[in-house]
Amino acid sequence: MDYYKKPYEKSAFEAKADAQRIAFAPVVFQVVKTMRDTGILDYLRKQKQDGATVAQISDATGISRYGVNVLLDAGLSADIVWQQEAHYSLTMLGHCMLSDKMTRVNMDFVHDVCYEAMFHLEEAIREEKPAGLKVFGDWKTVYEGLSSLPKQAQESWFAFDHFYSDRAFPKALPIVFKNAPKSLFDVGGNTGRWTKQCLNYNEDVHVTILDLPGQLAMAREQLEEAGFGDRASYHPIDLLDPSQTFPSNPDAIWMSQFLDCFGENEIISILKQAALVMTSDTDLFIMETFWDRQPQEAGAFSLNQISLYFTCVANGNSRMYHSGDMIRLVHRAGLVVEEEFDKLGIGHTILRCRKR
Amino acid sequence: MDYYKKPYEKSAFEAKADAQRIAFAPVVFQVVKTMRDTGILDYLRKQKQDGATVAQISDATGISRYGVNVLLDAGLSADIVWQQEAHYSLTMLGHCMLSDKMTRVNMDFVHDVCYEAMFHLEEAIREEKPAGLKVFGDWKTVYEGLSSLPKQAQESWFAFDHFYSDRAFPKALPIVFKNAPKSLFDVGGNTGRWTKQCLNYNEDVHVTILDLPGQLAMAREQLEEAGFGDRASYHPIDLLDPSQTFPSNPDAIWMSQFLDCFGENEIISILKQAALVMTSDTDLFIMETFWDRQPQEAGAFSLNQISLYFTCVANGNSRMYHSGDMIRLVHRAGLVVEEEFDKLGIGHTILRCRKR
């Protein structure tokens, strides 16, 4: 990836215009979300190229003409709609804000989980703690509070998490099962979503989920309901406590969208715990979205912004990593990267690691 | 102005990338503001083209390396910095976010007055009231609460207001005094900033400020301190009450950045009140920033976003108007526009109106 290695060619004049895009960015965000959620974008989509007048949109959506008008004018300036005489039509970007699933998932996550919290970003950065989390409750990390978050925030959090993993899991399965592991550890297995796919994909594998007791209870319920009771085990562990140990004899260890939840020293500690139970034949698979491995710049952009969610809301010391940083941490834990698989799902990478 | 009359040529691919810019817009906003306010941008400015490493920036600013790193990576993706090996340098846009006064004033206004309130935009639009104002207090409009806003919000509010008017007033004075008015009404005179300039500019004029009693007290203090006690009068009036009347015999009436604080019907009512005391020789000057009269699209963009401040924070029914709408309201009050002056200050327009 060769982005960001030279400055964009931009005149002072263009910079001043772009600067206003940033200065008013929160307003644009709320304008577009409101146009989406009041049904204005959907009504305009149905009118196709003919478009609609303020009065028509107001009648169709029940939003006052004044309200429709201020949103449309802001939408003109944000390239969401365009105007032919009194008729407004959706632009390509407007269509995307309405219909693209990834965009919707991102926007909902930012609104419901991050927006109010981000007001406290400077404090989070200065004090090295997730200062934005206080808008939801008095927890040290979001993980403690996840089950107590407001319903809307919780839904958007899981929708975001699952949207990305759901698209990567099918590509990951053949990679993980290439060496036919009989015993697989799903570290940070959460609701058991990945374990279930493994048990479906391969009849011979037994999966052990390593996670906090609360998450394990959720996972067990899901898996027993699906009839996988006898092929899964549950190992309660606080992965931040280096004195707690992994069970022994895994053929493979899986960590998906997991290490990004930790700071660098914590990652080294977790990987060292894993290394203790690995033999020279054990595969450790790390699946992550690394910002430098994105096929498009928009992917790098999104990941670099999501990092601030970890800073300000989640736990104050984790992030979406550069692959070079993660590989450095792998080495410091006494492991080596044997194989790398890029462009799985929406910009995921798998690092297959072994003991040095 | 010919913006917005055809859709930008944008592929579905480009739209999807731009959509992420909107979906993460509040994060970008807070990242850039935090980079500015923790001194990272200023430190990088001083390093010029050589740039600086994460360690150097961390040492210079006292921000943790982790914090510097997540901000820089988000800043790379937001075109605030660029990277040569381990060294980061400011881009033209980064310079602008740090040093351009207008950008700073806009960003502070959005952060301190609008950011938290904008979370409630959809409610404001649906319920036709400034639903965001509740983050500051339980008032019907921001004008009632202005003196009770948090200090930071109040400072950013006035800095924003004055930044724009200060650049337009010098250009407006020769226009207003061309017909040598002896008696001038400053309607919505606020802190007396314009009145003071008039009294300085022309020795023969007497100015009467029309405003709420609270504002008049502030203005009187300012003007008496400046030694203008005998050339100014103060007429208390609630301009939203059509039964309250203007004093008589003005040679000229001045309304600056004032009518945008009202809804369309209120504007007609205020202009009709003014018309009652006008003769065929009275000039009524309306100075506004109309979004369609901006020399650059960035001006239209900014004004169309500011409108949502009026929707969500100020009073729920006002906005930055299109000049065509304002001229229509002028006509409905029984007035005609005799002359128009564009491009005063930063995109201000004066409409000189007379009785029909």
Side-chain angles (χ1 to χ4, degrees):
Chain A
M1 207 201 63
D2 260 341
Y3 311 121
Y4 316 142
K5 292 187 178 161
K6 55 184 182 183
Y8 287 101
E9 306 271 332
K10 205 172 267 183
S11 68
F13 178 80
E14 290 165 322
K16 204 159 163 172
D18 283 356
Q20 308 326 305
R21 311 259 157 206
I22 294 181
F24 291 103
V27 182
V28 172
F29 176 86
Q30 294 295 348
V31 161
V32 177
K33 186 160 186 300
T34 300
M35 290 179 87
R36 191 193 77 180
D37 294 346
T38 53
I40 294 175
L41 294 187
D42 193 49
Y43 178 73
L44 287 176
R45 180 183 62 78
K46 291 181 188 140
Q47 311 318 308
K48 309 221 165 100
Q49 286 302 305
D50 289 345
T53 63
V54 170
Q56 288 169 333
I57 299 167
S58 174
D59 291 347
T61 58
I63 301 297
S64 74
R65 292 186 187 200
Y66 163 78
V68 170
N69 211 240
V70 286
L71 291 172
L72 285 175
D73 285 350
L76 286 174
S77 293
D79 188 28
I80 302 301
V81 292
W82 62 287
Q83 185 177 14
Q84 266 178 311
E85 306 293 336
H87 286 247
Y88 296 82
S89 304
L90 277 195
T91 62
M92 183 66 89
L93 179 56
H95 273 285
C96 191
M97 299 311 304
L98 175 68
S99 306
D100 179 58
K101 180 83 190 292
M102 181 177 80
T103 302
R104 180 175 288 265
V105 160
N106 287 344
M107 191 165 215
D108 288 345
F109 180 76
V110 171
H111 186 269
D112 298 329
V113 180
C114 303
Y115 187 90
E116 289 182 291
M118 279 294 152
F119 191 70
H120 307 282
L121 179 62
E122 186 181 340
E123 185 188 342
I125 290 279
R126 286 189 187 276
E127 305 194 357
E128 301 178 50
K129 62 181 192 197
L133 187 54
K134 64 178 161 226
V135 306
F136 294 121
D138 184 26
W139 305 294
K140 272 171 77 176
T141 73
V142 79
Y143 308 106
E144 292 174 28
L146 206 49
S147 57
S148 316
L149 288 183
K151 190 167 161 286
Q152 190 67 48
Q154 218 173 69
E155 277 178 18
S156 296
W157 196 96
F158 279 111
F160 182 83
D161 195 56
H162 293 163
F163 177 82
Y164 292 96
S165 61
D166 284 354
R167 277 148 191 80
F169 283 169
K171 304 280 181 70
L173 286 163
I175 294 169
V176 170
F177 283 94
K178 194 179 166 209
N179 294 335
K182 299 275 180 236
S183 160
L184 175 72
F185 289 180
D186 182 5
V187 182
N190 217 341
T191 55
R193 213 170 169 90
W194 164 255
T195 293
K196 199 164 151 186
Q197 298 210 19
C198 290
L199 296 171
N200 255 326
Y201 183 81
N202 182 296
E203 289 191 350
D204 302 322
V205 73
H206 185 98
V207 184
T208 304
I209 306 183
L210 286 70
D211 213 324
L212 294 164
Q215 327 292 98
L216 290 182
M218 281 195 295
R220 185 193 290 268
E221 196 182 311
Q222 295 276 322
L223 291 170
E224 291 190 346
E225 197 171 286
F228 289 127
D230 54 341
R231 293 174 54 212
S233 304
Y234 308 91
H235 183 84
I237 186 168
D238 177 358
L239 290 149
L240 284 177
D241 177 354
S243 75
Q244 299 190 19
T245 54
F246 280 41
S248 42
N249 296 326
D251 296 324
I253 299 175
W254 170 253
M255 299 179 178
S256 166
Q257 296 187 177
F258 170 69
L259 292 177
D260 56 65
C261 304
F262 300 96
E264 297 203 352
N265 289 332
E266 294 166 348
I267 291 174
I268 295 169
S269 166
I270 291 168
L271 290 175
K272 279 185 174 168
Q273 278 170 279
L276 282 177
V277 298
M278 289 168 70
T279 68
S280 60
D281 290 329
T282 313
D283 287 320
L284 170 76
F285 297 97
I286 296 171
M287 184 163 85
E288 286 291 340
T289 43
F290 298 119
W291 71 258
D292 60 304
R293 296 288 179 99
Q294 298 308 302
Q296 267 87 42
E297 193 276 335
F301 170 85
S302 299
L303 292 170
N304 277 333
Q305 308 313 326
I306 293 169
S307 281
L308 283 306
Y309 150 77
F310 291 98
T311 308
C312 189
V313 185
N315 59 5
N317 69 344
S318 62
R319 62 166 310 181
M320 292 298 176
Y321 286 94
H322 189 287
S323 65
D325 289 322
M326 185 61 78
I327 291 168
R328 180 171 51 78
L329 302 176
V330 166
H331 291 165
R332 288 188 54 191
L335 302 171
V336 289
V337 175
E338 293 242 313
E339 249 180 316
E340 304 184 11
F341 306 86
D342 282 328
K343 300 186 189 173
L344 311 169
I346 303 176
H348 285 70
T349 294
I350 288 181
L351 305 177
R352 186 170 69 78
C353 309
R354 288 239 165 148
K355 234 175 158 161
R356 192 150 49 197
Chain B
M1 207 199 63
D2 260 340
Y3 311 120
Y4 316 140
K5 291 188 179 160
K6 55 184 181 183
Y8 287 100
E9 305 270 332
K10 204 172 269 183
S11 69
F13 177 81
E14 291 166 321
K16 205 160 163 172
D18 283 355
Q20 308 326 305
R21 309 259 158 206
I22 293 181
F24 291 103
V27 182
V28 172
F29 175 86
Q30 294 294 347
V31 161
V32 177
K33 184 159 186 299
T34 300
M35 291 180 86
R36 191 193 77 179
D37 294 345
T38 53
I40 294 175
L41 295 188
D42 192 50
Y43 178 73
L44 287 176
R45 180 183 63 80
K46 291 180 188 139
Q47 310 319 307
K48 307 220 167 99
Q49 286 304 302
D50 289 345
T53 65
V54 170
Q56 289 170 333
I57 299 168
S58 175
D59 291 347
T61 58
I63 301 298
S64 74
R65 291 185 189 201
Y66 162 78
V68 170
N69 212 241
V70 286
L71 291 173
L72 285 175
D73 285 350
L76 285 173
S77 293
D79 187 28
I80 302 300
V81 292
W82 64 285
Q83 185 177 14
Q84 265 180 312
E85 305 295 333
H87 287 247
Y88 296 81
S89 305
L90 277 195
T91 61
M92 183 66 89
L93 179 56
H95 273 285
C96 191
M97 299 311 305
L98 175 67
S99 306
D100 179 56
K101 180 82 190 290
M102 182 177 79
T103 302
R104 180 175 288 265
V105 159
N106 287 345
M107 190 165 215
D108 289 346
F109 180 76
V110 170
H111 187 269
D112 298 328
V113 180
C114 303
Y115 187 90
E116 289 182 292
M118 278 294 152
F119 191 70
H120 307 282
L121 179 62
E122 187 181 339
E123 184 188 341
I125 290 279
R126 285 190 188 277
E127 305 193 359
E128 301 177 51
K129 63 181 190 196
L133 187 55
K134 64 180 160 226
V135 306
F136 294 121
D138 184 26
W139 306 294
K140 274 172 76 177
T141 73
V142 79
Y143 308 106
E144 290 174 30
L146 206 48
S147 57
S148 316
L149 287 183
K151 189 167 160 287
Q152 191 67 49
Q154 218 173 68
E155 276 177 20
S156 295
W157 197 97
F158 279 111
F160 182 82
D161 195 56
H162 292 164
F163 178 82
Y164 293 96
S165 61
D166 283 355
R167 277 149 190 81
F169 284 169
K171 302 281 180 71
L173 285 164
I175 294 169
V176 170
F177 283 94
K178 193 178 165 211
N179 293 335
K182 299 274 180 234
S183 159
L184 175 72
F185 288 0
D186 182 4
V187 181
N190 218 340
T191 55
R193 215 171 167 88
W194 164 254
T195 293
K196 201 164 150 185
Q197 297 209 20
C198 289
L199 296 171
N200 256 325
Y201 184 81
N202 182 298
E203 290 191 349
D204 301 323
V205 73
H206 185 100
V207 183
T208 303
I209 306 183
L210 285 71
D211 214 324
L212 293 164
Q215 326 292 98
L216 290 182
M218 282 196 294
R220 185 195 290 268
E221 198 182 310
Q222 296 275 323
L223 292 171
E224 290 190 347
E225 199 172 284
F228 289 128
D230 53 342
R231 293 175 52 213
S233 306
Y234 308 91
H235 183 85
I237 185 168
D238 177 357
L239 290 149
L240 284 176
D241 178 354
S243 73
Q244 298 191 18
T245 53
F246 280 41
S248 43
N249 295 325
D251 296 324
I253 300 175
W254 169 253
M255 298 177 177
S256 167
Q257 295 187 177
F258 169 69
L259 292 177
D260 56 66
C261 303
F262 299 96
E264 296 204 353
N265 289 332
E266 293 165 348
I267 291 174
I268 295 169
S269 165
I270 291 168
L271 290 176
K272 278 185 175 167
Q273 278 169 279
L276 282 178
V277 298
M278 289 168 71
T279 68
S280 59
D281 290 330
T282 313
D283 286 321
L284 170 77
F285 297 98
I286 296 172
M287 184 162 86
E288 285 291 339
T289 44
F290 297 118
W291 70 259
D292 60 305
R293 297 289 179 97
Q294 297 308 302
Q296 267 89 43
E297 194 275 335
F301 170 85
S302 299
L303 291 169
N304 277 334
Q305 308 312 327
I306 293 170
S307 282
L308 283 307
Y309 150 76
F310 291 99
T311 308
C312 190
V313 185
N315 59 4
N317 70 343
S318 62
R319 62 168 310 182
M320 291 298 177
Y321 286 92
H322 189 287
S323 65
D325 289 322
M326 185 61 78
I327 291 168
R328 180 170 52 77
L329 302 176
V330 165
H331 291 166
R332 288 189 52 193
L335 303 170
V336 288
V337 176
E338 293 242 313
E339 250 179 316
E340 303 182 13
F341 307 86
D342 282 327
K343 300 186 189 174
L344 311 170
I346 303 175
H348 286 68
T349 294
I350 288 181
L351 305 177
R352 186 171 69 80
C353 309
R354 288 237 165 150
K355 233 174 159 162
R356 193 148 50 197

